[in-house]
Amino acid sequence: MTRSIYRKLLSPRSLVACLFLSHLAICRPAPAQGLTSEVVLESIELGQRYLASQQLQDGRFAGEGLGDYSIGVSALSTLAMLNSGLPTNHPNVAKGLKYLRALPEGEPKNNYEVSLMIQVFAATGDKTDVPRIALWADRLERAQVKQDRNAGGWSYKWQSGGDTLGGHADPSNSQFAMLGLREAAIAGVPIDRRTWERAREYWIRGQNADGGWSYSFAAAENGRGGSSTGSMTVAGLSSLVIADEMLKSDAGVSPNGVPPCCEDQPTNEAIERAIQWLSNHFAAGYNPGNEQSYVLYYLYGLERAGRLSGRRFFGDHDWYREGAEAVLLRQRREGYWIGVGHGEDRNLAVATSYALLFLSKGLAPVLMNKLKYGPRDAAVPREIVGNDWNRHEDDVRNLTNLISTLDRWPKLMISQELDLPRAAANGDLASFFQAPVLYLNGSTRPAFNEVDLQLLRSYLEQGGFIFATASCQSAEFESGFKEALRAILPPGEGELKRLPADHPIYRSEYLLQPEGIELYGIDFGCRTSVVYCPEDLGCYWDYWTQFDPPDRNVQLKARIIRATKIGVNVIAYATGREPPNKLDAPTEDLTKTDLDRIERGLLQVAKLRHDGGWDAAPRALRNLLVALNQTVGLAASPKQRNLLLGDPNLFQYPLLYMHGRQPFDFSERELELLRAHLDRGGLLFADACCGSAEFDKSFREFATKLFPKNPMQQIPVNHELFNGSLGHDLRRVRRRSPSGFDPNAPIDSQIREVDPFLEGVEVDGRYVLVYSKYDISCALERQTALSCEGYIPEDAVRIAMNVVLYGMLKELRLPEPDPK
């Protein structure tokens, strides 16, 4: 193994935790980093550099060992660079595009290469390339086999003149053709509906009895020509998902545009059988059924099958995590990958491109988890009885695809199913945090057991967001959902209330009129964390398409637009248009940590109570202290002690923490006690939740009363709090800033990289008070929103940790307080 994915065991700067203070335990090493987005991105960058080194001066990439497919190698390599994050003006991407655009008319001449050309130019987003895409899409349509056993598939080349009326077809060429045509359709090129219908029939006809596909199925006399393999089964699964996506229709919609939301919809059994085959035969280190060949080609297809079908798991296998670990282990020191046995992935540029496409596209943020829940099967408790949770199979997937087309959002996002019985059986809270939004829908009373409720409770407590809608406007679902919320949340906090007309949700993306929209919510922590709509929004999301199907009902289209706008606004509010990377989700339930104790030898921090919303972010301090334990290796107790300033135990806590959202005040006696505490070596760390102007004004008055001769001033950027000598290097940080507060305009905000801004009161060369007017606490709870002005969660954690470490280094042994 030439590249380790477990490299950063203990940063030298984390040794700052090894302090010789009487109330601290000896530091312990932080845990191994494991597989994170940072590790994957480093691997991607190394692979990009290798590809760049192999590009010829004219923009081509070498195609040794692949005969006439040099254009395809160049197109695939350029596509890999684009999809893995390099912009179109990057020198190597620009050279590749220039070469491909300069190809003579009539080139390329085979289906693989034509499909890759379409995908490359669709990925640029350049509208001037659409005519090229349309020309190549027409070639692919004409090249589809139109009759005989192979009808609906594609072969390597077309006959003279472009039309292929019969002859051989294979599933590998056919999946590439469908990928190209899908990208052409999304780019706005009309594709004949009959092309998709023939393709769908081809894949269903060629499916083996075990649910998989083989390479030679269409060549055998009975259409079942060989043993199923992983590479061909992922091809079949993704191709059927694409065909179903492209064959949406208004079947069953009434003349006034109302769809049959409450009718059971047929399930594509071929897709379900393919998923079952992959679940039974899953592997990440080899190609199932063809173990000696095409492993990277298979993984390239596995990413597509998992992403397009919305599955995180095949069986018990997290396909991306296991696949990424296998891919990283295969990378050579120079940055390239190479396949095993025979196959085109023995070509270094092709193999490296397949690996880059898997790593980068599979790392796409998960925008929503759709909860798979319901009554358990008595014989198999991890199986759900019925399909009420998934009445509208494409609802969340379609909404995610729509959001991916909007400005200011990531251009590649996915949704996935979250299997509640599996998560409950494994205590898997981390799976909830792979997405910032948990969506559930149904028409019957939700069936949750106590373990389910505990997971949902922990999810909300640690910053999660639940969005629910009722299928068929079901009163039974609504009643059961309300009952579950009362069981999940503390007494008195689990009641849904109609969102006020000035709630930010109504203008988080589109400017919506609250009067015509029923939205209910529960404020939990810094924001509204549960949103419920009694309308069956998911039914209309299910009918959304990238382009209108034939004879689209105009009234249905208007209903779809309204429903998707409501959905987009809720998701924008919940995510701030910044869904996190799936690999960086929390890996454990912080409410169950075994560090939940107070004893001598552990760092202890107290939270100050006051009358200005002192507990607006109730889990912020706990999350900070757990992060110190896990990241720095500091022995800190995450058990929170909430104190009034007059509490005699105040002097036992050298570090004090405070936040709020409303004005507050302290008495003169309380100020006197706090001043004495800080003079004797204590530190107060505070922030304004969501940048609250009311709290900020009140805090400045408080600081002036506390230290009238030491005004609060900005802490210099070169101070040890920021320069990396203490802990994290914070000389540049990322902060979200709403661009305006016009109640009659949609909310807009942007994340900018800026200098850190903290203020403090300095006494005798030591800061005794550190304050942020920009939010830190809500970010510590991962509850930031578009209207919340403050640091993004990752940087908020780093800032807060540095402040704690600073307080520890500067703290003096505190004398016993004067009993008077």
Side-chain angles (χ1 to χ4, degrees), residues 13-85:
R13 74 182 60 159
S14 71
L15 295 176
V16 74
C18 300
L19 303 176
F20 298 96
L21 300 178
S22 61
H23 60 279
L24 296 177
I26 300 299
C27 75
R28 58 186 182 278
Q33 184 185 25
L35 183 67
T36 66
S37 59
E38 180 184 8
V39 172
V40 172
L41 291 172
E42 288 176 358
S43 175
I44 289 172
E45 184 179 352
L46 192 60
Q48 289 172 335
R49 288 203 298 267
Y50 172 77
L51 272 187
S53 73
Q54 299 303 298
Q55 191 175 30
L56 304 178
Q57 191 58 40
D58 64 357
R60 288 181 297 132
F61 289 82
E64 290 91 346
L66 295 179
D68 297 331
Y69 288 91
S70 59
I71 295 175
V73 175
S74 298
L76 180 64
S77 300
T78 304
L79 179 65
M81 291 192 295
L82 278 167
N83 281 172
S84 62

Side-chain angles (χ1 to χ4, degrees), residues 60 128 162 209 221 270 273 308 313 361 377 405 418 425 429 443 508 510 512 615-616 646 648 718:
R60 288 181 297 132
T128 64
E221 184 177 349
R273 293 199 300 126
L308 294 182
F313 288 95
K361 298 185 79 172
D377 188 318
T405 69
L418 196 162
L429 183 66
S443 62
S508 58
Y510 302 104
L512 302 178
D615 206 28
N718 61 358

